[in-house]
C-alpha cells in the first residue's frame, strides 16, 4: 500500500497481518457459500448407464439454494460450517504468506528502478503470481484437508487432524497433502488477476487516492474478483476434484492430474460441467474480495497508527534511558580536590 506523505509505511509482515486478518473475517462471514460451491463442484451428474454413484454424497444438488436446503435438512445448520476451523487456518496462512511476499517483491521491484514508479499491469500480474506461487507451496496441505472435510458424507465426519491422517494414509502417503499443487500453481493467476485488476481499477476510478472509502474498496474488489473467477473456473473445479475423495464410480482410484479431472467431467457432463458451481463461487468470491479489500484498507490504517504509537513509546523509553545514564555518569564523576 502506498503511503501518504509523512506517513510511515507498513513493513511487509504488517501488511501481511492486515491482509490475513481481513481475509479471515471476510471468509468466516460467507463460509456456507464455500461449502455449497465445493459440494456442487465435486458432484457429477448421474447417467442411466452408470452402475455406481458418481458423487461422494448421496444427495444431488441442483442449485445453490437447493444445496443449502438439503445440507440443513440432512446435517443441520452445523453442516454449513463443516471444516471451518481448517478453512480459516488455511485462509489466514495463505493470505499472510501472499501479502507478505507480494509486499516484498513489489518493494524490491520499485527500489531497483532508476526512477521509482508503480509497476504496470503486466508487471503487477507477474509480481502477484510470484507471491501466490510461494504462498501455495507452504499452505496447500491445509487446503487439501479442508476440501476433504467439506465433502465428507454424513456419518463420516472427521476433525482436522484425523482428516489429515486419512490423507497421509492413502496411496499417495505424505505427498497426498500436496495434491493439486500443480493446479494451484497455475491458479496463482487468479489472485494475480484479482489484485492486478484491483490496482488498475483503483488508478482508473480513483487516481491519486491512497485510502478509499469502504464502499469504494468493496466495489473494486468485487469487480476484480468476478473477472478472475470467470477466467479460472475450470481449473478451480479441477483442483477441488483432485483434493476431494474420488467418486465411488472410480472404485477409490484418485485422479492423478487436473487434466484427468477435466476429461472425466467433460465425458460425463460436457464442457459446461467445468463451470459448475460458478454462481456460489462468484458470489462468495465477490463478497470475500470486497470485504477483504474493505477491511484490509481499514486494518492497514489501524496498524500504521499502532506502529507509530509503538515507535513513539520506544523513542520515549530510549530518551529516558539516555537521560538516566547521563545523570548516573554525572553523579559518578570523581571529585577533583582543589
Amino acid at each position: 500500500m502506498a503511503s501518504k506523505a509523512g506517513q510511515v509505511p507498513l513493513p511487509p509482515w504488517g501488511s501481511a497481518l492486515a491482509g490475513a486478518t481481513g481475509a479471515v473475517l471476510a471468509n468466516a462471514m460467507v463460509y456456507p457459500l464455500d461449502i455449497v460451491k465445493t459440494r456442487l463442484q465435486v458432484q457429477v451428474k448421474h447417467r442411466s448407464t452408470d452402475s455406481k454413484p458418481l458423487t461422494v454424497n448421496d444427495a444431488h444438488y441442483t442449485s445453490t439454494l437447493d444445496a443449502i436446503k438439503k445440507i440443513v435438512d440432512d446435517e443441520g445448520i452445523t453442516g454449513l460450517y463443516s471444516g471451518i476451523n481448517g478453512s480459516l487456518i488455511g485462509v489466514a496462512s495463505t493470505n499472510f504468506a501472499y501479502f507478505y511476499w507480494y509486499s516484498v517483491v513489489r518493494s524490491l521491484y520499485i527500489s531497483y528502478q532508476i526512477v521509482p514508479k508503480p509497476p504496470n499491469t503486466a508487471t503487477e500480474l507477474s509480481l502477484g503470481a510470484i507471491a501466490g506461487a510461494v504462498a501455495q507451496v507452504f499452505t496447500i496441505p491445509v487446503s487439501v484437508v479442508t476440501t476433504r472435510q467439506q465433502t465428507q458424507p454424513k456419518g463420516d465426519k472427521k476433525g482436522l487432524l484425523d482428516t489429515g491422517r486419512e490423507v497421509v494414509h492413502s496411496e499417495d502417503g505424505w505427498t497426498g497433502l500436496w495434491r493439486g499443487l500443480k493446479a494451484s500453481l497455475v491458479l496463482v493467476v487468479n489472485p494475480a488477476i484479482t489484485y492486478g485488476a484491483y490496482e488498475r481499477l483503483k488508478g482508473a476510478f480513483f487516481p491519486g487516492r491512497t485510502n478509499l472509502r469502504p464502499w469504494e474498496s468493496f466495489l473494486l474488489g468485487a469487480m476484480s474478483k468476478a473477472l478472475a473467477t470467470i477466467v479460472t473456473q475450470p481449473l478451480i473445479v479441477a483442483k477441488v476434484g483432485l483434493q476431494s475423495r474420488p467418486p465411488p464410480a472410480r472404485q477409490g482410484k484418485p485422479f492423478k492430474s487436473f487434466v484427468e479431472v477435466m476429461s472425466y467431467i467433460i465425458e460425463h457432463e460436457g464442457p459446461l460441467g467445468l463451470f459448475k458451481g460458478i454462481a456460489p463461487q462468484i458470489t462468495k468470491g465477490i463478497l470475500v474480495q470486497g470485504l477483504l479489500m474493505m477491511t484490509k484498507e481499514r486494518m492497514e490504517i489501524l496498524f500504521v497508527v499502532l506502529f507509530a504509537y509503538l515507535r513513539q513509546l520506544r523513542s520515549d523509553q530510549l530518551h529516558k534511558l539516555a537521560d538516566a545514564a547521563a545523570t548516573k555518569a554525572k553523579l559518578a564523576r570523581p571529585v577533583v580536590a582543589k
Side-chain angles (χ1 to χ4, degrees):
M1 172 180 143
S3 58
K4 289 181 180 180
Q7 186 184 77
V8 179
L10 281 174
W13 68 268
S15 180
L17 188 58
T21 303
V24 168
L25 293 174
N27 278 273
M29 293 173 67
V30 299
Y31 187 75
L33 283 174
D34 195 39
I35 284 283
V36 170
K37 67 95 180 170
T38 301
R39 296 279 182 94
L40 285 170
Q41 288 169 354
V42 298
Q43 73 176 10
V44 181
K45 291 181 180 179
H46 190 276
R47 301 178 302 186
S48 59
T49 56
D50 294 322
S51 58
K52 293 186 178 181
L54 300 176
T55 185
V56 175
N57 289 280
D58 294 332
H60 191 87
Y61 313 116
T62 58
S63 66
T64 300
L65 292 178
D66 180 59
I68 292 174
K69 182 179 183 302
K70 288 180 178 177
I71 290 172
V72 172
D73 289 345
D74 190 42
E75 305 174 38
I77 293 294
T78 57
L80 293 174
Y81 294 88
S82 296
I84 188 171
N85 293 333
S87 177
L88 294 184
I89 291 172
V91 165
S93 58
T94 301
N95 280 272
F96 183 91
Y98 179 83
F99 281 110
Y100 177 84
W101 289 110
Y102 183 77
S103 298
V104 169
V105 297
R106 197 172 193 271
S107 298
L108 286 174
Y109 172 81
I110 293 176
S111 67
Y112 277 103
Q113 287 186 313
I114 298 175
V115 180
K117 61 181 179 180
N120 57 33
T121 302
T123 304
E124 199 85 64
L125 293 177
S126 299
L127 296 178
I130 293 171
V134 175
Q136 283 297 325
V137 171
F138 291 102
T139 60
I140 194 171
V142 181
S143 174
V144 172
V145 173
T146 299
T147 301
R148 285 292 183 96
Q149 283 188 293
Q150 291 178 337
T151 56
Q152 286 168 344
K154 182 181 179 181
D156 194 22
K157 300 289 185 183
K158 296 183 178 70
L160 185 67
L161 294 179
D162 288 336
T163 304
R165 292 191 191 98
E166 178 184 88
V167 175
V168 172
H169 293 157
S170 66
E171 69 175 58
D172 290 331
W174 283 96
T175 59
L177 292 173
W178 277 267
R179 283 188 66 82
L181 178 59
K182 291 180 181 178
S184 295
L185 291 177
V186 176
L187 278 170
V188 298
V189 298
N190 189 297
I193 293 171
T194 300
Y195 293 107
Y198 181 87
E199 292 295 331
R200 296 301 101 196
L201 289 171
K202 183 178 179 180
F205 286 99
F206 308 104
R209 293 272 299 279
T210 300
N211 296 322
L212 303 181
R213 297 186 183 91
W215 72 267
E216 293 171 341
S217 298
F218 185 95
L219 177 63
L220 295 187
M223 291 170 63
S224 58
K225 189 60 179 180
L227 174 63
T229 300
I230 292 171
V231 172
T232 59
Q233 180 67 8
L235 281 174
I236 293 173
V237 173
K239 176 187 171 184
V240 171
L242 274 171
Q243 295 179 341
S244 63
R245 289 180 178 179
R250 288 180 60 85
Q251 299 177 342
K253 181 183 178 183
F255 294 106
K256 295 298 183 183
S257 67
F258 62 86
V259 173
E260 185 180 4
V261 178
M262 295 170 75
S263 298
Y264 185 83
I265 292 172
I266 292 174
E267 178 187 351
H268 290 87
E269 300 181 74
L272 289 180
L274 296 174
F275 291 87
K276 59 186 174 181
I278 195 170
Q281 182 83 48
I282 289 181
T283 303
K284 179 225 172 189
I286 287 176
L287 291 174
V288 167
Q289 197 62 36
L291 291 169
L292 170 58
M293 288 304 184
M294 183 172 65
T295 54
K296 182 176 181 288
E297 293 271 351
R298 307 278 79 73
M299 292 303 299
E300 285 187 343
I301 294 173
L302 288 175
F303 279 117
V304 166
V305 174
L306 176 62
F307 290 164
Y309 175 69
L310 292 176
R311 288 190 187 99
Q312 186 61 48
L313 281 180
R314 184 181 179 187
S315 178
D316 292 343
Q317 289 176 346
L318 289 174
H319 279 119
K320 288 179 181 179
L321 289 173
D323 291 341
T327 302
K328 185 176 180 180
K330 185 178 180 181
L331 293 174
R333 280 190 308 179
V335 179
V336 179
K338 292 183 179 179

